[in-house]
Amino acid sequence: MRKNLIASVAFLLASSTAVLAQSATDGKVKIGILNDQSGVYADFGGKSSVEAAKMAVEDFGGKVLDVPVEIVDADHQNKPDIASNIARQWYDTEQVDAIMELTTSSVALAVQAIGKEKKKIDIVTGAATTDLTGKACSPYGFHWAYDTHALAVGTGGALVKQGGDSWFFLTADYAFGYSLEQQTSDYVKASGGKVVGAVRHPLSSQDFSSFLLQAQSSGAKVIGLANAGLDTSNAIKQAAEFGITQGGQHLAALLFTLAEVHGLGLEAAQGLTLTEGYYWNRDDESRAFAKKFFARTGKMPNMIHAGTYSAVTQYLKAVQKAGTDETEAVAKQLHEMPVDDVFGRGGTVGANGRMIHDMYLLQVKKPSESKEPWDYFNVLATIPGKEAYIDPAKSGCDLVK
């Protein structure tokens, strides 16, 4: 009887271990959406990214490995210290398995460093710096929607080809702005152009007059706005007051999305060239997704919103395929699995965590060209992913052999 009892206990322990290996480690899968919900990037991502994440969970069925999937969210206020405190609390006491979105490059770099330390997954859709998959790469860090190199190749490359061979940069004074200015400068110079100067402004600036006057007096053919969100919108509005474009200089909005065009209006934004990883009016599949998103948010999605939907969906697919939410197993699947959804068609993930997918060169329509609300862009070109993104082997990531 004793032998039978021991055998039965051993069998039960082995069975429970096997079940645990094929399930969530704590009875649920929990994803945190951490981004700017009240500041300069609130329209860029914000609460709409949270809704995109919830859409992804609902479309997946609300469960994975027979356990519920939960979305939590918080506003990091574009401050790395606040973001770091939230990330540590989520990881240490609230059983969050992965953090996503992470608008603002300084925030994303800080949170990714914590994830590397604690062996937790992050998927960045809102920040742009290539350092995330370069010198600051992590075996558990992934960069999804776009980056500064893709923006430089798209918008910067298009304007140089059109004759914009001299540039002056108006740059947000933090990691994202530096990276975007550097990547675009390198691309302009490699294409035969030159950079005549640059000036840096604080995040969330209200008055761009002194910066714009420096750009205007430089005589550069192109003024590159290496900023985003309300900073870009405000710079464009104030540039119009100075008559900059009327004087023959061209404004390059290096990170400008559908959300900012809508806020600025077609009258002010018409003619701007920009690069996005997604456009809602591209085809029937993207339109169907956008209409579902609009019903929840009252707006059409930009690449941050669609990218967040894709990131959450791919994470859940990876958990399902791995049979567990254990970090190493899920990260392995994220690196190996192809990406094929409404956002990342034919996408692949490099050894450095960069999701490689096509980007789109867009031009803002004239008001007379727009056929319906939110019909804002003409698609000028599709930029293949291998052209848009840095070869992982050349990224500077020490994970790439």
Side-chain angles (χ1 to χ4, degrees):
M1 288 181 64
R2 171 180 271 183
K3 287 182 179 179
N4 289 339
L5 180 60
I6 292 172
S8 298
V9 170
F11 175 77
L12 289 171
L13 286 173
S15 298
S16 63
T17 301
V19 170
L20 182 62
Q22 292 296 318
S23 65
T25 53
D26 55 6
K28 62 179 177 294
V29 170
K30 199 169 183 180
I31 299 169
I33 304 299
L34 184 56
N35 62 3
D36 176 11
Q37 299 180 7
S38 57
V40 67
Y41 300 138
D43 287 336
F44 182 74
K47 282 290 188 180
S48 295
S49 287
V50 179
E51 287 301 312
K54 290 179 179 178
M55 273 182 65
V57 171
E58 291 169 15
D59 290 348
F60 201 81
K63 291 184 176 183
V64 64
L65 305 180
D66 292 325
V67 300
V69 180
E70 182 181 351
I71 297 292
V72 294
D73 69 276
D75 183 355
H76 60 49
Q77 301 174 48
N78 295 310
K79 296 177 180 178
D81 57 338
I82 291 177
S84 296
N85 288 337
I86 293 170
R88 289 186 184 279
Q89 180 180 335
W90 277 357
Y91 286 149
D92 293 343
T93 66
E94 297 185 25
Q95 293 80 49
V96 169
D97 297 293
I99 296 178
M100 303 186 193
E101 221 269 36
L102 294 168
T103 313
T104 313
S105 292
S106 53
V107 163
L109 288 166
V111 172
Q112 181 157 292
I114 294 169
K116 186 175 183 180
E117 169 197 334
K118 294 183 175 293
K119 295 187 177 181
K120 292 285 189 175
I121 287 171
D122 69 273
I123 306 181
V124 177
T125 58
T129 179
T130 53
D131 285 350
L132 287 161
T133 50
K135 63 184 182 181
C137 69
S138 162
Y140 317 115
F142 299 86
H143 202 177
W144 219 249
Y146 72 107
D147 65 22
T148 51
H149 187 270
L151 300 177
V153 171
T155 308
L159 291 175
V160 173
K161 287 177 184 176
Q162 293 172 11
D165 56 4
S166 62
W167 286 62
F168 184 98
F169 288 93
L170 199 158
T171 302
D173 192 11
Y174 74 105
F176 152 69
Y178 312 151
S179 182
L180 185 51
E181 179 189 325
Q182 184 64 55
Q183 296 282 350
T184 310
S185 295
D186 290 347
Y187 201 82
V188 167
K189 292 172 185 176
S191 302
K194 61 181 179 180
V195 176
V196 299
V199 63
R200 292 176 175 174
H201 69 82
L203 183 66
S204 303
S205 292
Q206 299 299 314
D207 184 3
F208 285 88
S209 56
S210 64
F211 310 122
L212 288 167
L213 286 172
Q214 291 180 61
Q216 188 176 37
S217 63
S218 73
K221 293 180 183 178
V222 179
I223 299 172
L225 301 177
N227 50 21
L230 289 177
D231 281 341
T232 306
S233 297
N234 288 335
I236 291 171
K237 289 176 184 176
Q238 292 173 38
E241 297 171 6
F242 285 99
I244 286 177
T245 55
Q246 294 90 325
Q249 290 175 296
H250 191 102
L251 292 177
L254 295 170
L255 177 50
F256 208 55
T257 76
L258 184 78
E260 290 75 53
V261 172
H262 182 74
L264 192 59
L266 284 183
E267 189 64 41
Q270 61 181 306
L272 283 174
T273 303
L274 56 101
T275 303
E276 280 215 60
Y278 168 88
Y279 178 39
W280 76 269
N281 210 8
R282 184 177 63 196
D283 56 31
D284 289 343
E285 185 183 7
S286 57
R287 281 189 283 272
F289 169 77
K291 287 176 181 177
K292 285 177 63 178
F293 183 86
F294 185 87
R296 301 175 71 117
T297 66
K299 63 176 70 172
M300 290 300 187
N302 63 10
M303 65 178 171
I304 314 305
H305 307 135
T308 300
Y309 177 92
S310 172
V312 172
T313 299
Q314 192 73 359
Y315 176 77
L316 295 176
K317 287 179 180 178
V319 170
Q320 186 175 60
K321 190 168 184 181
T324 177
D325 62 355
E326 191 275 323
T327 296
E328 297 282 358
V330 176
K332 182 177 184 293
Q333 293 300 328
L334 284 170
H335 277 106
E336 293 177 356
M337 291 169 53
V339 181
D340 193 12
D341 55 36
V342 70
F343 175 81
R345 296 170 187 167
T348 59
V349 178
N352 61 344
R354 173 69 258 174
M355 201 272 274
I356 299 168
H357 61 98
D358 293 347
M359 298 289 288
Y360 302 95
L361 182 66
L362 308 167
Q363 187 170 54
V364 180
K365 291 182 175 182
K366 298 176 182 177
S368 60
E369 295 174 325
S370 180
K371 298 177 182 178
E372 60 181 308
W374 297 89
D375 175 33
Y376 293 160
F377 296 144
N378 289 312
V379 180
L380 301 181
T382 298
I383 307 164
K386 289 185 178 180
E387 293 180 18
Y389 296 103
I390 299 171
D391 182 342
K394 299 177 181 177
S395 66
C397 173
D398 60 10
L399 299 173
V400 183
K401 297 179 182 178

